[in-house]
Amino acid sequence: MFDNRITRLFGCEIPIMQAPMGYISRAQLASAVANAGAIGMIETSSGDLEAFRREVKLAQEWAPGKCLTANIAQAFVRDPSIVDFVVEQGVRFVTTSAGDPNRYTRQLKDAGLVVFHVVPTLRAALKAVDAGVDGLVVEGAEGGGFKNPRDVATMVLLPLVASKVDVPIIAAGGFVDGATMAAAFALGAEGVQMGTRMVASAESPIHENWKQAIVDAAETGTVLLNRHAAPAVRVLRTEVSEAYEFDTGRNAMGAMADHRRVYFEGDLTAGLAFGGQVAGRIDRVRPVAEVIRECADDCLRVIADLAVRYPPSPSPSPEEPDQAATHGASTSAKVGEPSSRSS
Ligand SMILES: Cc1cc2nc3c(=O)[nH]c(=O)nc-3n(C[C@H](O)[C@H](O)[C@H](O)COP(=O)(O)O)c2cc1C
């Protein structure tokens, strides 16, 4: 279905990557995603490496031979032995995030792993490519979780980065169905990463109240906190998060102390519930296999429909004068044709 650099590199059928999310991206969710032909992910941002070892092992048992990756959230896992630790678990694909790509890329590559780095800006993307990564996860500000305080939307960031780099790109921030996946392809990506959609899935291990809060949220139902402090973070709009929204005197991470009550007891008054703007487009909790299959089918359908509705104008044969030249270049470039790299 999707023969491109992401499916070839990761050895998966469908270029959908489940996002790294602390305490959430563990064996139950990752194995369901991998068994659906996509890319499952195990997190380290909880900082619990024993849990990481256990969850990788479980996921490998539950999804034998399928595509499983790990995320090294550099701001949360400071112990440099994390690289050897990840390699020892038999993980072959890693995304690194929340830190300098020069920190682990060489070591991971020397150990034979495929390395993608998560980037929120063009500058970070160029730095990661210089560090020798195999690819990028280009993350727009509409996504849930940790964010760059200088927020750039996916619609702007993705085509910009795609026009400046040659490595394969997985787009993140706002992806939830076949149409958005097709849009990512049109903007230069070859895969998408989904966070919020996966949080509100049947296999996501968190409490139903959080999943329901995502289902109930409108597109305006998130706030980007900590623009004034690090790390900035996009969370669901609740009484707790609204209290921090315009309060630059406090660091919102202070509200994360009791995350277990939020994550596993469903008490959304006890802290922050991460979530992206795409929550406004999620209307029910669904099994990931259903989500992934439907995204894949709909994505190909959208692309096929567009090709039928907007067939590229036939390029003039050498004898005929170039219509475009006579009528001004912009017409033919309006539909379908990808922009050249250095636009
Ligand atoms: C509940 C939640 C927790 C997250 N935790 C992390 C994390 O620990 N590390 C990280 O790099 N990104 C984290 N993210 C960001 C995701 O990796 C991803 O980039 C983002 O969710 C994509 O946007 P979307 O939510 O619109 O799909 C989190 C996102 C959510 C929704």
Side-chain angles (χ1 to χ4, degrees):
M1 292 168 84
F2 295 93
D3 177 23
N4 66 22
R5 291 183 291 177
I6 297 295
T7 53
R8 277 184 242 128
L9 204 50
F10 286 83
C12 64
E13 192 196 331
I14 299 170
I16 295 176
M17 178 179 270
Q18 160 239 319
M21 300 175 282
Y23 306 98
I24 300 170
S25 302
R26 295 193 166 179
Q28 182 174 297
L29 179 58
S31 60
V33 170
N35 282 329
I39 305 171
M41 170 81 73
I42 305 285
E43 58 89 15
T44 61
S45 37
S46 60
D48 183 346
L49 296 189
E50 268 325 303
F52 177 77
R53 184 202 303 270
R54 183 189 66 235
E55 298 293 325
V56 168
K57 199 163 177 309
L58 276 175
Q60 288 165 340
E61 273 167 31
W62 294 344
K66 298 290 183 178
C67 185
L68 291 164
T69 63
N71 166 256
I72 299 178
Q74 299 179 193
F76 305 95
V77 183
R78 298 179 182 283
D79 178 345
S81 69
I82 181 69
V83 171
D84 298 336
F85 190 79
V86 166
V87 173
E88 277 157 27
Q89 311 317 314
V91 172
R92 292 178 38 233
F93 309 100
V94 164
T95 70
T96 51
S97 58
D100 182 347
N102 292 298
R103 187 143 176 226
Y104 295 134
T105 299
R106 184 55 21 222
Q107 237 184 312
L108 290 162
K109 294 290 305 161
D110 290 349
L113 276 66
V114 169
V115 182
F116 275 50
H117 193 68
V118 181
V119 295
T121 63
L122 174 60
R123 190 158 159 270
L126 299 175
K127 186 174 178 183
V129 169
D130 287 349
V133 299
D134 299 292
L136 300 170
V137 177
V138 174
E139 189 182 39
E142 53 267 64
F146 301 109
K147 292 282 147 310
N148 185 297
R150 296 203 172 147
D151 51 324
V152 185
T154 300
M155 180 58 92
V156 172
L157 182 65
L158 178 56
L160 173 64
V161 173
S163 71
K164 302 292 183 194
V165 305
D166 285 329
V167 296
I169 292 173
I170 294 174
F175 297 99
V176 70
D177 58 9
T180 48
M181 194 172 166
F185 290 165
L187 296 173
E190 293 172 69
V192 294
Q193 179 177 274
M194 296 182 184
T196 306
R197 174 66 272 190
M198 296 294 177
V199 176
S201 68
E203 295 84 356
S204 162
I206 58 158
H207 195 281
E208 289 307 314
N209 290 355
W210 184 350
K211 299 183 187 182
Q212 194 54 41
I214 289 174
V215 169
D216 297 341
E219 74 286 3
T220 53
T222 68
V223 277
L224 181 61
L225 298 179
N226 264 15
R227 285 175 187 274
H228 61 289
V233 62
R234 184 176 294 283
V235 299
L236 297 180
R237 183 177 290 281
T238 62
E239 271 177 39
V240 177
S241 60
E242 280 198 330
Y244 280 92
E245 188 169 12
F246 302 110
D247 178 351
T248 56
R250 292 186 295 166
N251 186 320
M253 295 317 291
M256 289 296 296
D258 217 346
H259 70 275
R260 297 200 70 79
R261 279 179 56 201
V262 176
Y263 280 54
F264 303 110
E265 296 166 30
D267 178 1
L268 301 192
T269 68
L272 301 173
F274 291 7
Q277 292 178 334
V278 77
R281 300 199 55 221
I282 295 172
D283 55 11
R284 60 196 167 92
V285 174
R286 305 175 66 190
V288 289
E290 195 184 286
V291 169
I292 290 168
R293 179 54 56 186
E294 191 181 279
C295 278
D297 294 345
D298 288 354
C299 174
L300 295 173
R301 207 187 338 274
V302 167
I303 293 171
D305 287 355
L306 288 172
V308 170
R309 283 168 55 194
Y310 303 104
S313 52
S315 41
S317 61
E319 298 75 48
E320 289 166 22
D322 176 353
Q323 297 304 315
T326 46
H327 297 302
S330 68
T331 46
S332 65
K334 208 170 276 162
V335 289
E337 287 183 38
S339 60
S340 59
R341 188 161 85 77
S342 53
S343 56

